[in-house]
Amino acid sequence: MRRNRLKLDIVHYYAAEHYPPLINLIQLLESEKDICYQVYTTSVSNESLNPIRNSRIKRVINSHPQALSPIRVLKQAYFNIVTFIFLLRRNPDIILYYETISCAGPIIYKRYFNKNVRLMAHYHELTTQKQIKTETRLVRILNPLEKRTYVKHEWISHTNADRLRLFTNDYKKHIRMGSLQIMPNYPPSAWRTKKSITTASKKTHLHFPVRTILTGSVSSETMYLKEYCDWVIRQNGKFTFDIYSFNIGCTTRNYLDGLNRDLIRLHEACPYHKLPELFSNYDIGIILYKAEEENMRYNAPNKLFEYHTCGLDVWFPLEQETALSYTRSNTYPKIISVDFKHLDEVDYVSLLSRDGMRFFQQPFQSEHVYRGLIDAMLHN
């Protein structure tokens, strides 16, 4: 038994409420007696997401501006400066930061003020060396600094093996292979209850109208949104489509507002902890990323695991190569790749069929993922 609790500081520039993996880690840390944690993040801009009320979460800035602007760069810089000051005051044993945009304070603190602090990094997204050129000015400045420090990182993780492989190819001269880890975006085990399993297992047939849902960010430019909405309308009531979003541009909102609201409906975002209840009203969870960039091509979205855990079939674009490894079409709920470019050629009757199939849910649980991270913190 430890005499003193480990002091863990988590630096996460983007609002925690938008990132279920961080929410799930915080929940697990709440029951961890040997770790005293502190989170530095920004305020959530959408009150419908139910901001987390937790004294261990410090909101360094009010909100993260969406548009590229001088204000955005200044806020990013201010966040890094203030978190650095917090690190000096708290003197943590371990720092876990998320994404390059959050790395300045942790790296400077380790390099000049506490060489013994253990440094860990996790990446929600893949940003290749080619893509760095398109990032904000601050990220372009921080990337070389971060790269030189990777050899001193105790832990570097990505959400799947494909992204980790591409990251390794970009930084193999700067990293220690033993520091590399994988942390998928699974939902908590509490989402899979006896009641939800019983309800999902009894759904041996999907009846018209088939109720489909999409949650999260929505874009008519980077998603097959128009293709899917047009297809739903052409099915003349056999399908409905509900969208729950916290991040939607004016162009996309205007497009959706002009559609048949009996078939396609746009709603305010749903808080993360209420998603299982929401999903119980639907049949299929939809993922629509066009996957034109490597970040999306090599992505198994958290929505895939969330939909499946709550008993929904999952339809995702066949371009998402990493998600293909989770395909399951001989049991239900199904996880299926769909050609959203040519939906009229898709045999949706066979996609919906569950005839002769047995019920099987893959055990996607965030506790299993983060237990490995916490054990690494405690037992090093």
Side-chain angles (χ1 to χ4, degrees):
M1 195 75 178
R2 289 181 177 274
R3 293 182 180 177
N4 299 310
R5 301 173 72 189
L6 276 175
K7 287 195 290 185
L8 166 65
D9 281 15
I10 300 174
V11 185
H12 193 284
Y13 172 71
Y14 300 103
E17 289 80 359
H18 293 169
Y19 290 84
L22 179 58
I23 294 174
N24 293 331
L25 175 59
I26 291 171
Q27 288 179 341
L28 195 57
L29 287 170
E30 280 293 304
S31 60
E32 186 55 58
K33 297 180 180 179
D34 292 329
I35 296 178
C36 177
Y37 75 92
Q38 185 78 56
V39 179
Y40 308 112
T41 186
T42 58
S43 298
V44 63
S45 57
N46 190 329
E47 288 295 320
S48 67
L49 288 177
N50 286 15
I52 301 170
R53 310 297 179 187
N54 186 328
S55 61
R56 297 184 185 277
I57 299 177
K58 289 189 178 294
R59 309 288 181 168
V60 178
I61 55 178
N62 290 332
S63 63
H64 162 68
Q66 294 295 326
L68 289 171
S69 67
I71 293 177
R72 181 177 180 178
V73 175
L74 287 172
K75 282 203 169 188
Q76 291 174 343
Y78 177 80
F79 176 88
N80 277 276
I81 293 169
V82 173
T83 53
F84 169 67
I85 294 171
F86 282 138
L87 293 174
L88 283 175
R89 290 176 178 174
R90 203 169 117 86
N91 192 29
D93 300 298
I94 304 172
I95 302 173
L96 169 63
Y97 71 84
Y98 286 76
E99 309 292 346
T100 302
I101 192 61
S102 305
C103 79
I107 288 176
I108 294 172
Y109 175 75
K110 178 176 178 63
R111 186 169 183 175
Y112 297 107
F113 295 89
N114 185 356
K115 296 185 183 299
N116 294 323
V117 70
R118 297 160 60 191
L119 205 56
M120 296 180 163
H122 178 69
Y123 298 92
H124 297 298
E125 311 292 345
L126 169 70
T127 306
T128 63
Q129 284 292 282
K130 291 180 182 178
Q131 291 172 308
I132 286 290
K133 299 175 183 178
T134 65
E135 291 293 316
T136 64
R137 185 177 185 84
L138 184 59
V139 171
R140 297 198 304 271
I141 292 171
L142 292 177
N143 178 250
L145 172 68
E146 185 181 33
K147 182 165 60 177
R148 290 194 297 271
T149 315
Y150 276 147
V151 70
K152 298 180 180 179
H153 281 53
E154 183 176 305
W155 175 290
I156 302 173
S157 53
H158 273 272
T159 59
N160 62 64
D162 289 328
R163 285 181 170 181
L164 190 64
R165 171 177 53 81
L166 292 169
F167 173 85
T168 303
N169 289 342
D170 274 347
Y171 298 101
K172 55 189 172 185
K173 294 181 180 179
H174 305 276
I175 56 179
R176 294 182 297 107
M177 298 304 293
S179 68
L180 302 179
Q181 306 290 337
I182 297 172
M183 290 207 303
N185 295 334
Y186 294 164
S189 58
W191 282 26
R192 193 166 181 261
T193 64
K194 288 184 178 180
K195 181 180 178 181
S196 69
I197 293 171
T198 300
T199 301
S201 64
K202 288 182 177 179
K203 195 183 287 187
T204 55
H205 295 86
L206 298 182
H207 302 285
F208 295 122
V210 177
R211 302 160 299 173
T212 68
I213 183 174
L214 182 151
T215 59
S217 298
V218 179
S219 169
S220 55
E221 296 180 357
T222 61
M223 295 181 172
Y224 291 114
L225 183 66
K226 290 183 178 180
E227 290 85 347
Y228 185 66
C229 288
D230 290 345
W231 181 81
V232 167
I233 292 170
R234 290 197 298 272
Q235 303 318 303
N236 297 316
K238 290 184 177 180
F239 287 77
T240 63
F241 183 35
D242 286 290
I243 301 167
Y244 294 79
S245 179
F246 63 84
N247 182 13
I248 180 168
C250 291
T251 301
T252 301
R253 183 179 292 276
N254 291 338
Y255 164 72
L256 291 171
D257 286 343
L259 299 180
N260 184 333
R261 296 193 181 184
D262 291 330
L263 300 175
I264 299 169
R265 298 173 288 265
L266 178 62
H267 308 267
E268 286 292 323
C270 177
Y272 184 66
H273 68 280
K274 293 184 178 181
L275 286 179
E277 180 183 354
L278 176 67
F279 289 158
S280 67
N281 300 312
Y282 294 90
D283 303 306
I284 302 174
I286 303 296
I287 298 169
L288 295 173
Y289 299 116
K290 288 184 176 179
E292 293 173 341
E293 296 182 350
E294 288 178 309
N295 180 47
M296 284 300 153
R297 192 178 313 136
Y298 301 107
N299 180 26
N302 54 293
K303 286 191 282 288
L304 184 153
F305 307 114
E306 292 163 3
Y307 293 151
H308 179 80
T309 297
C310 293
L312 279 66
D313 280 6
V314 182
W315 289 9
F316 69 90
L318 52 81
E319 295 93 335
Q320 288 201 278
E321 296 183 22
T322 298
L324 289 171
S325 64
Y326 295 97
T327 300
R328 185 173 290 272
S329 58
N330 57 356
T331 59
Y332 73 94
K334 297 180 178 179
I335 301 176
I336 306 171
S337 63
V338 174
D339 185 356
F340 284 98
K341 290 181 180 179
H342 306 99
L343 280 169
D344 287 331
E345 299 175 14
V346 173
D347 180 6
Y348 68 79
V349 174
S350 65
L351 295 187
L352 297 177
S353 175
R354 295 180 170 185
D355 292 344
M357 295 183 184
R358 66 182 179 91
F359 173 78
F360 176 76
Q361 279 181 304
Q362 300 182 63
F364 302 128
Q365 298 180 1
S366 61
E367 290 88 347
H368 293 168
V369 174
Y370 298 124
R371 189 69 257 166
L373 172 63
I374 291 173
D375 285 348
M377 292 177 179
L378 292 174
H379 299 142
N380 186 281

